[in-house]
Amino acid sequence: MTIGVALNATGPENQIDASVRLAKEAALAGLRSAWFGQTFGADSPQLAAIVGREVPQLHVGTSAIPVFGRHPLPVAGQALTAQAATHGRYHLGLALGTKLLTETGFGLPFERPIARLREFLTAIRQLTETGAADFHGELLTATTPIPARVPGADAGVPLLVAAMGPQALRATGELADGTLPYLAGPRALGEHIVPAVTAAARAAGRPAPRIVALVHGVVTDDVDAVRKKVTEQLAFYEQIPSYARVIELSGGQRAGDVSVIGDEETVAAEVRRYRDAGATEVVFAGTEVAGDADRLRTWRLLGELADRPTG
């Protein structure tokens, strides 16, 4: 099972320089991939391209770019550029986004999100696989009167979706290569997410999907204080219906309840639970919450787990 980390350079240092430095530390610890979230700040495909070129030991990915406020043509260009820069080690994560950020930030109505996701995936698959598109949907049009190829980019950038609800999982299984659930504990993963996306992929005649579980967690001795801090930091997600639902399906009430916080033995056991629930890859986020010492301690453990047999 592949194990990676989500990098979030939030200090006063130049974010690009800090991300490269953190990625080098992650690679030295034995981690296999580095992922970058998309907010209103740094452009995650550019960040992934730079880091992936500077740290060739790592696969890199975005988790995840909302489909509202974007168009498949420029996103495909970003993805193909990152794929060429990293010589085939880039993974594109997409998301529905949220009503709050879509309507407040972009001034766009958050309407028909599943239909938009389906059209976006269909168009961007054409673009990333062939460098051309001729797609005319209800919500999106993507055509290429001139070529949209990026020489050096491998055909077929892996497409993943941060899907957790039934309709989004169905679309993901049918049209993407896998899913990127966040704050979904092993119970929600094994009982709801994995069966739904796998069944949809099978019905569509597609290969078994990748299940890249994004886990918020850290190795620390100060469990109570860190969990309190994490619960406060993640409270925003509890306002979002899809996250609230998956937290409940995981057996939690607060977002902090599904975070993995404890000593090495505790965290290793939880990683095994994710694997047993169907995760093909585990990516730890929020490892910086308890400071550099615990972050490096967490990365060392995850690097060791990445080297162990999965059987």
Side-chain angles (χ1 to χ4, degrees):
M1 179 176 63
T2 300
I3 298 180
V5 64
L7 298 182
N8 183 24
T10 57
E13 186 181 353
N14 178 291
Q15 185 176 357
I16 310 305
D17 295 341
S19 297
V20 171
R21 174 179 57 80
L22 289 170
K24 289 179 177 178
E25 292 181 3
L28 284 173
L31 292 162
R32 308 296 174 79
S33 64
W35 297 76
F36 303 89
Q38 180 63 58
T39 62
F40 293 139
D43 181 77
S44 57
Q46 287 190 65
L47 191 53
I50 293 166
V51 169
R53 196 164 182 85
E54 291 283 330
V55 191
Q57 303 94 316
L58 295 176
H59 281 249
V60 290
T62 57
S63 176
I65 299 173
V67 296
F68 281 91
R70 274 88 176 177
H71 187 278
L73 277 165
V75 174
Q78 290 175 298
L80 290 167
T81 300
Q83 186 76 322
T86 60
H87 295 272
R89 290 178 286 112
Y90 175 72
H91 307 255
L92 174 60
L94 300 170
L96 293 175
T98 68
K99 179 180 177 69
L100 173 65
L101 295 180
T102 298
E103 297 189 347
T104 303
F106 291 103
L108 297 173
F110 191 73
E111 297 174 349
R112 301 184 66 191
I114 302 301
R116 181 171 294 274
L117 175 65
R118 285 184 170 278
E119 292 191 6
F120 202 103
L121 286 170
T122 302
I124 203 165
R125 173 77 73 184
Q126 293 179 16
L127 290 161
T128 56
E129 288 190 347
T130 69
D134 186 18
F135 179 79
H136 302 267
E138 292 183 68
L139 304 174
L140 292 172
T141 294
T143 65
T144 47
I146 58 175
R149 296 180 177 84
V150 177
D154 293 344
V157 176
L159 299 179
L160 306 166
V161 180
M164 294 184 289
Q167 293 184 69
L169 287 166
R170 188 176 306 116
T172 298
E174 293 173 3
L175 299 169
D177 300 308
T179 185
L180 286 157
Y182 180 48
L183 298 180
R187 183 193 301 178
L189 203 68
E191 296 179 5
H192 299 277
I193 292 173
V194 173
V197 72
T198 302
R202 185 185 303 116
R206 294 189 54 78
R210 290 169 57 188
I211 312 294
V212 185
L214 271 76
V215 180
H216 200 282
V218 63
V219 176
T220 184
D221 294 325
D222 199 1
V223 174
D224 291 340
V226 171
R227 190 173 295 281
K228 182 175 184 295
K229 187 175 182 180
V230 166
T231 300
E232 293 170 353
Q233 287 184 348
L234 297 180
F236 167 78
Y237 291 97
E238 298 163 13
Q239 308 171 51
I240 302 170
S242 59
Y243 286 106
R245 176 180 178 273
V246 82
I247 290 166
E248 182 180 2
L249 291 174
S250 301
Q253 295 181 328
R254 303 291 307 275
D257 296 338
V258 295
S259 294
V260 177
I261 303 169
D263 61 13
E264 282 81 358
E265 183 178 354
T266 299
V267 172
E270 286 300 302
V271 171
R272 288 192 292 272
R273 287 186 66 213
Y274 277 92
R275 178 200 65 192
D276 294 343
T280 59
E281 301 157 63
V282 170
V283 175
F284 261 60
T287 57
E288 71 284 348
V289 67
D292 282 346
D294 281 347
R295 172 180 60 80
L296 290 171
R297 182 179 171 186
T298 306
W299 288 6
R300 282 193 295 269
L301 171 67
L302 297 176
E304 292 171 3
L305 295 176
D307 286 333
R308 295 178 189 174
T310 58

